[in-house]
Amino acid sequence: MNEFLKKIKIRDWGETRAHSSWQIFKIMAEFVEGFENLNRIGPCISIFGSARTRPGDKYYELAVRIAKRLAEEGFGIITGGGPGAMEAANKGAYLAGGKSVGLNIDLPHEQEPNPYVDKDKLLKFDYFFVRKVMFVKYAQGFVMMPGGFGTMDECFEVLTLMQTRKITPVPVVLVGHEYWDGLLQWMKHTMCEQYHHVQPEDLQMWRVFDHEDEVAEYFIQYYAEHRLTPNF
């Protein structure tokens, strides 16, 4: 390697290491703030979905009704705090007089928290991975509305954590047969039966529903038989 370039690379890498050391304290502060705030809220359901879903869309309105029913049963509602399906879920919690939590982060399509998040339950994060820990640790279940890459990322992360027993198995609900069935069929026939990359029992970790009463009843029945505890 050219000596001049080598010196530049060594210098730049050294500066990066120094920055990383200070970054640890900022990361720790986000974890501490998140744990302290969410621990006070009590049992919650994390609801994920597209930031692009608009009011009037059937899945926006369904997310409102699902969150409202769950809040009426005593669950707090956790979302990413942004627009779309997140706004819908926070709105449902708000309409029920329940706890409406927003874990906000600055993204291209989510610049401001939605107006239905409780002011004392709005947390802002710089780090995606810290925020994702908060979504999982205090959630007693997960509801996946139709969404894009972010929703898929959150869905498969939850399923991976459950599959590997890194978190306590809890209810996972996918909302909308018409949206999810194609993916689920591919997982069954290709991922499981053809390539054997997952086991048949792994495909039992979720339920698919189309109506808010089905979702609420599933959670009610599950927690009639299981304890409400943090996931790890």
Side-chain angles (χ1 to χ4, degrees):
M1 181 184 293
N2 180 283
E3 284 301 314
F4 175 71
L5 293 177
K6 187 175 181 180
K7 289 180 181 178
I8 291 176
K9 289 181 181 295
I10 292 173
R11 182 193 66 199
D12 290 347
W13 188 253
E15 291 174 354
T16 300
R17 286 193 302 171
H19 173 72
S20 296
S21 297
W22 283 107
Q23 201 172 31
I24 290 171
F25 295 102
K26 190 174 181 181
I27 293 167
M28 289 173 59
E30 286 203 356
F31 273 119
V32 170
E33 182 182 7
F35 286 167
E36 288 184 346
N37 281 278
L38 290 173
N39 194 45
R40 292 196 294 265
I41 293 171
C44 292
I45 305 295
S46 286
I47 299 182
F48 303 108
S50 176
R52 294 180 172 91
T53 307
R54 295 289 176 256
D57 178 276
K58 69 176 182 179
Y59 286 115
Y60 181 101
E61 303 305 329
L62 182 53
V64 173
R65 297 195 300 272
I66 288 171
K68 185 172 183 291
R69 285 285 283 109
L70 292 172
E72 288 170 347
E73 296 298 333
F75 291 103
I77 300 298
I78 300 175
T79 81
M86 295 170 284
E87 176 184 287
N90 286 127
K91 181 178 180 180
Y94 171 82
L95 292 174
K99 299 170 182 177
S100 183
V101 184
L103 309 183
N104 200 241
I105 194 167
D106 187 19
L107 296 173
H109 303 289
E110 304 168 37
Q111 296 301 321
E112 298 294 335
N114 70 69
Y116 301 105
V117 177
D118 294 341
K119 301 304 181 186
D120 63 333
K121 298 178 184 65
L122 174 63
L123 302 179
K124 296 186 178 181
F125 294 90
D126 287 323
Y127 298 99
F128 244 128
F129 64 91
V130 178
R131 181 185 186 231
K132 290 168 80 172
V133 169
M134 301 306 154
F135 275 128
V136 173
K137 181 172 176 61
Y138 296 101
Q140 305 304 301
F142 302 91
V143 175
M144 310 292 177
M145 303 301 299
F149 291 156
T151 302
M152 296 299 164
D153 173 55
E154 289 149 347
C155 179
F156 281 105
E157 178 164 24
V158 167
L159 295 177
T160 300
L161 291 169
M162 289 173 54
Q163 179 198 47
T164 56
R165 299 296 187 265
K166 293 299 183 182
I167 65 171
T168 306
V170 295
V172 176
V173 171
L174 311 181
V175 177
H177 277 280
E178 67 175 7
Y179 191 82
W180 294 100
D181 278 357
L183 173 62
L184 300 181
Q185 288 300 310
W186 176 83
M187 291 169 66
K188 179 178 184 293
H189 296 303
T190 303
M191 187 183 286
C192 182
E193 296 174 353
Q194 183 177 355
Y195 286 92
H196 310 293
H197 291 324
V198 296
Q199 299 299 316
E201 56 267 27
D202 294 330
L203 305 181
Q204 304 303 312
M205 292 190 293
W206 59 80
R207 299 291 185 273
V208 186
F209 297 126
D210 292 305
H211 194 276
E212 63 271 16
D213 290 337
E214 295 176 305
V215 178
E217 188 60 30
Y218 178 48
F219 281 102
I220 292 168
Q221 290 182 357
Y222 186 90
Y223 282 110
E225 302 173 2
H226 297 80
R227 293 179 60 198
L228 289 161
T229 58
N231 285 320
F232 55 86

